[in-house]
Amino acid sequence: MNITDITEADEKKPLIEQRADPYVYFHKDGYYYFTASTPEYDRIELRRAWSVKALADAEPLVIWRKHPDGPMSWHIWAPEMHYIDGKWFIYFAAGQAEDPWYIRTWILENDSKDPFCGEWKEKGMLISGWDSFMLDCTVFEHYDNWYAVWAQKSQERTENSCLYIAQMTTPYTLKLPQTLLTRPEFDWECKGFKVNEGPAVLQRNGKVFLTYSASATDATYCMGMLVADDGADLLDAKNWKKLDKPVLVTDEKAGVFGPGHNSFTTSRDGKEDYLIYHARPYAEVDLSFALYDPNRHAWVKRIRYDSNGFPLFM
């Protein structure tokens, strides 16, 4: 095994401490890029390295800070960086000081080849079919089309958040109407709060796997999964199958509590897939304070596959 590959020992300890909602992107320039929520929820950082493990020691660069007031001035959450048509984009969630829970999805753009250079420009809010609590947007390419998947409070306001999908007409705009993919319905999705959030996409073995996180951000937080055939119409909810059991849960023996809000990347040779996720090293957390407990750490795990080509995370 190459020294840059992830070992069992690496899986048993945090990759980067106090970085929740971790996102890792392996670019064609040979770098792994990392971004995540910081405990202060006040900025967006990037770091990069030649291996996933080396991200732990990489120097973070602050590329954007929250506004003093108004939109994008509070709760800067879950940034994701993507490379689309020769430009860099960051999708992130933000509230405002006057109303911290007025959470919406916002976009930054950088046209420099090097995302550590150039200017990160604010491109406005991502507009969905209605205005409500909206966060955790991820985007992916599938058969030359770009899609966005995100968490949003439904029009009926019966849950904290559901997951929706839409095709993208540009990196800033959605082709509406959006499609409801999943809403919290199983007991393990409704502990503390009724939540489906943090979507991430893995395209493997003739399938499109969509993982997501469910329940409150304490030890009950866990990961669920939807799956569609690779050639299916991804905008038709009937083409997605939702698993009735979570695919990653708290592992007390391993000291991993409330795992979720993941992303996916690969080894340098592309032969292994990695799950990047956050979890706490302890269970005890006040639910009313859970979001402000700083010790949600980024972890990494190698993905195994079963005989049907489905990813195994436990």
Side-chain angles (χ1 to χ4, degrees):
M1 178 176 286
N2 192 294
I3 61 171
T4 63
D5 291 339
I6 300 300
T7 66
E8 288 187 13
D10 297 321
E11 296 178 332
K12 294 178 180 178
K13 60 184 180 182
L15 172 68
I16 301 174
E17 293 189 351
Q18 295 193 344
R19 290 297 181 269
D21 314 318
Y23 188 84
V24 174
Y25 172 66
F26 186 31
H27 191 50
K28 60 184 179 182
D29 64 2
Y31 279 115
Y32 288 89
Y33 290 88
F34 175 92
T35 189
S37 298
T38 65
E40 299 81 8
Y41 299 147
D42 65 350
R43 65 192 184 275
I44 296 176
E45 294 179 345
L46 293 181
R47 62 176 76 188
R48 64 182 172 188
W50 292 107
S51 71
V52 171
K53 289 198 285 190
L55 288 168
D57 299 315
E59 187 71 23
L61 173 70
V62 176
I63 59 99
W64 182 88
R65 291 188 183 275
K66 70 177 184 179
H67 293 194
D69 51 43
M72 296 182 284
S73 61
W74 207 263
H75 283 157
I76 309 304
W77 289 347
E80 285 197 10
M81 187 170 76
H82 297 268
Y83 190 72
I84 305 173
D85 296 335
K87 295 182 180 181
W88 297 96
F89 296 89
I90 289 179
Y91 300 84
F92 67 102
Q96 51 194 35
E98 301 81 1
D99 185 356
W101 300 105
Y102 188 85
I103 304 292
R104 302 295 185 270
T105 295
W106 299 84
I107 305 166
L108 304 177
E109 178 193 83
N110 189 338
D111 60 9
S112 172
K113 289 184 178 180
D114 182 350
F116 275 50
C117 301
E119 180 185 359
W120 284 96
K121 301 176 181 177
E122 297 174 3
K123 302 302 291 188
M125 192 167 67
L126 188 67
I127 305 299
S128 72
W130 57 89
D131 186 45
S132 66
F133 182 88
M134 179 181 176
L135 71 167
D136 295 351
C137 180
T138 192
V139 304
F140 67 100
E141 188 177 16
H142 187 67
Y143 290 109
D144 297 324
N145 290 314
W146 281 89
Y147 296 85
V149 183
W150 68 95
Q152 187 172 2
K153 187 177 285 289
S154 68
Q155 289 175 293
E156 298 81 14
R157 267 54 172 189
T158 51
E159 308 90 0
N160 292 84
S161 58
C162 305
L163 290 187
Y164 296 89
I165 188 171
Q167 193 172 326
M168 306 186 80
T169 55
T170 75
Y172 331 108
T173 55
L174 303 173
K175 184 179 180 180
L176 301 172
Q178 62 211 54
T179 298
L180 172 67
L181 287 183
T182 171
R183 64 192 336 142
E185 56 186 310
F186 299 118
D187 177 66
W188 53 269
E189 297 178 294
C190 301
K191 293 185 179 297
F193 299 102
K194 296 180 179 180
V195 169
N196 284 174
E197 64 181 16
V201 173
L202 177 66
Q203 300 179 67
R204 291 289 184 272
N205 306 325
K207 303 288 185 182
V208 180
F209 300 101
L210 176 64
T211 57
Y212 64 95
S213 300
S215 288
T217 55
D218 57 7
T220 66
Y221 205 56
C222 60
M223 252 171 58
M225 190 167 75
L226 307 171
V227 59
D229 289 334
D230 183 72
D233 177 3
L234 301 184
L235 299 177
D236 186 344
K238 295 192 297 294
N239 291 330
W240 292 89
K241 178 183 178 182
K242 180 177 179 177
L243 277 60
D244 61 2
K245 293 181 174 58
V247 295
L248 185 65
V249 298
T250 286
D251 184 341
E252 295 186 23
K253 185 177 180 181
V256 175
F257 297 87
H261 203 130
N262 71 285
S263 59
F264 297 105
T265 192
T266 69
S267 57
R268 291 196 68 86
D269 60 11
K271 293 182 179 179
E272 284 197 310
D273 292 318
Y274 298 147
L275 172 75
I276 314 292
Y277 66 101
H278 77 226
R280 288 190 181 86
Y282 49 79
E284 296 77 19
V285 60
D286 182 349
L287 187 55
S288 64
F289 185 74
L291 279 173
Y292 306 104
D293 179 311
N295 293 316
R296 290 187 294 173
H297 305 326
W299 303 64
V300 59
K301 181 188 288 284
R302 290 173 297 166
I303 300 173
R304 286 77 169 175
Y305 291 88
D306 67 15
S307 58
N308 295 316
F310 277 50
L312 299 172
F313 304 111
M314 291 191 286

